């Protein structure tokens, strides 16, 4: 795997993984900085390459009255300022072709393709042409092996900076399961492979119109992912998930991140021997 296409991973050690983490969505103009500072300090102390994640807008909501964001430009400016203040890369989702260049213009480092949109050719091409790192989330309806076609769309559009993220597969109408064979299969694409340890525990399509989740299993999912060879982890975290404006039911509480990372480092060091 060629890491020169991923500047923030240039110092990634064999006994470490990288982390993409932050709130589900930019909820306001103050709290994301506190979350970024906390996570950045933790990752620095444990020598973990880190990128701050925050969606500038949530386009896939169950109900019309669900919170979607504070405004695109305002939220993108928050991301740009977090990047400047902490000197860390930032990650955000894009949902349509015109959003790719808009996010790139705000100095977003990693453009994330949502799982439901991972087959959208025009979106992948538009993202690729920005020259940014592209993180493609595997569709809940796809196998890991089939994601090579998404990778090829980006690479054949002139961009070799592409990553893949596993986030579970549909299991009936209201649950997801993780097939860890997908991590192995996606690694055959010779790109960094990430495990989304929070969205993979979602329970979608609830009758309330609000997605549920099982955050008590985040530790379990994370440990298994590191043990089977995930290069990085994606997680959403919030100081008080119960008050989060999006996906609070499957977030990891912010004060639980550090003890979890400590455990994961021990597992990574063991499997790296």
């Amino acid at each position: 795997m060629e890491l020169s296409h991923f500047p923030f991973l240039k110092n990634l050690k064999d006994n470490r993984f990288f982390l993409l983490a932050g709130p589900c969505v930019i909820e306001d103009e103050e709290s994301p900085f506190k979350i970024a500072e906390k996570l950045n300090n933790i990752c620095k102390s444990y020598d973990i390459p880190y990128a701050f994640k925050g969606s500038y807008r949530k386009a896939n909501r169950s109900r019309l009255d669900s919170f979607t964001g504070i405004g695109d430009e305002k939220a993108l400016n928050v991301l740009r300022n977090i990047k400047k203040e902490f000197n860390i890369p930032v990650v955000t989702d894009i949902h349509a072709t015109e959003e790719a260049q808009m996010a790139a213009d705000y100095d977003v480092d990693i453009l994330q393709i949502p799982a439901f949109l991972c087959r959208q050719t025009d979106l992948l091409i538009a993202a690729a042409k920005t020259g940014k790192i592209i993180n493609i989330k595997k569709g809940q309806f796809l196998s890991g092996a089939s994601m090579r076609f998404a990778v090829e769309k980006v690479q054949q559009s002139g961009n070799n900076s592409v990553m893949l993220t596993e986030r579970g597969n549909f299991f009936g109408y209201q649950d997801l399961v993780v097939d860890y064979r997908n991590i192995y299969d996606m690694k055959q694409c010779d790109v960094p492979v990430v495990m989304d340890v929070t969205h993979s525990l979602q329970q979608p399509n609830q009758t309330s119109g609000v997605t549920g989740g099982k955050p008590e299993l985040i530790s379990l999912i994370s440990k298994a992912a590191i043990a089977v060879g995930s290069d990085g982890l994606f997680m959403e975290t919030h100081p008080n998930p119960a008050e989060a404006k999006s996906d609070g039911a499957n977030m990891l509480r912010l004060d639980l991140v550090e003890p979890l990372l400590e455990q994961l480092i021990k597992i990574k060091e063991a499997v790296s021997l």
Side-chain angles (χ1 to χ4, degrees):
M1 180 172 60
E2 180 55 65
L3 292 182
S4 63
H5 305 302
F6 310 92
F8 81 109
L9 299 181
K10 63 182 179 181
N11 295 319
L12 178 63
K13 299 176 181 177
D14 291 340
N15 64 350
R16 287 293 185 272
F17 48 88
F18 63 91
L19 181 67
L20 313 178
C24 178
V25 63
I26 302 299
E27 297 182 347
D28 54 51
E29 295 182 86
E30 295 81 30
S31 63
F33 288 87
K34 297 177 182 178
I35 296 172
E37 182 177 26
K38 174 77 170 178
L39 293 172
N40 189 42
N41 287 339
I42 293 171
C43 289
K44 277 185 176 180
S45 66
Y46 292 100
D47 204 16
I48 297 173
Y50 169 61
F52 175 83
K53 183 271 168 181
S55 296
Y56 72 87
R57 173 164 46 86
K58 300 302 293 185
N60 178 24
R61 302 288 85 189
S62 296
R63 297 177 1 187
L64 189 61
D65 61 353
S66 298
F67 179 80
T68 58
I70 62 174
D72 292 357
E73 293 186 4
K74 188 180 292 185
L76 284 166
N77 201 49
V78 168
L79 288 168
R80 180 163 60 184
N81 288 334
I82 286 174
K83 175 178 178 175
K84 289 179 180 178
E85 181 164 338
F86 301 109
N87 192 30
I88 54 176
V90 294
V91 188
T92 200
D93 302 289
I94 58 171
H95 320 89
T97 55
E98 64 272 13
E99 295 179 24
Q101 191 58 55
M102 178 179 68
D105 289 343
Y106 276 86
D107 296 327
V108 171
D109 301 273
I110 305 173
L111 303 181
Q112 186 163 275
I113 308 299
F116 285 130
L117 302 177
C118 68
R119 287 170 50 94
Q120 297 299 105
T121 301
D122 289 348
L123 180 59
L124 291 169
I125 292 173
K129 288 183 176 179
T130 66
K132 300 293 186 176
I133 297 171
I134 313 303
N135 181 30
I136 312 173
K137 287 197 165 184
K138 182 185 72 63
Q140 304 93 321
F141 43 88
L142 292 174
S143 69
S146 67
M147 289 302 292
R148 72 180 181 89
F149 301 111
V151 171
E152 289 172 356
K153 288 177 182 179
V154 174
Q155 292 176 337
Q156 292 170 10
S157 298
N159 188 336
N160 289 313
S161 304
V162 56
M163 305 189 300
L164 291 174
T165 293
E166 163 65 15
R167 53 99 72 238
N169 283 83
F170 287 131
F171 186 68
Y173 292 115
Q174 294 179 320
D175 207 358
L176 297 167
V177 294
V178 176
D179 180 353
Y180 285 96
R181 294 175 298 178
N182 285 327
I183 292 178
Y184 172 85
D185 288 340
M186 291 193 291
K187 285 175 74 73
Q188 306 315 300
C189 296
D190 199 32
V191 300
V193 173
V194 181
M195 180 71 214
D196 182 338
V197 301
T198 48
H199 287 101
S200 58
L201 292 168
Q202 283 182 332
Q203 293 180 309
N205 306 319
Q206 298 298 306
T207 54
S208 65
V210 179
T211 297
K214 293 185 175 182
E216 66 273 15
L217 297 180
I218 291 173
S219 176
L220 176 70
I221 291 287
S222 303
K223 291 172 182 176
I226 294 299
V228 301
S230 178
D231 301 297
L233 296 179
F234 174 105
M235 67 173 65
E236 291 184 341
T237 180
H238 192 280
N240 187 351
E243 295 181 359
K245 295 182 179 179
S246 177
D247 282 2
N250 54 264
M251 281 190 186
L252 182 65
R253 206 173 69 227
L254 186 59
D255 65 333
L256 298 179
V257 172
E258 184 170 6
L260 175 58
L261 293 180
E262 288 179 342
Q263 296 177 43
L264 297 178
I265 287 170
K266 293 177 182 178
I267 294 173
K268 182 63 175 179
E269 289 175 340
V271 298
S272 298
L273 293 176

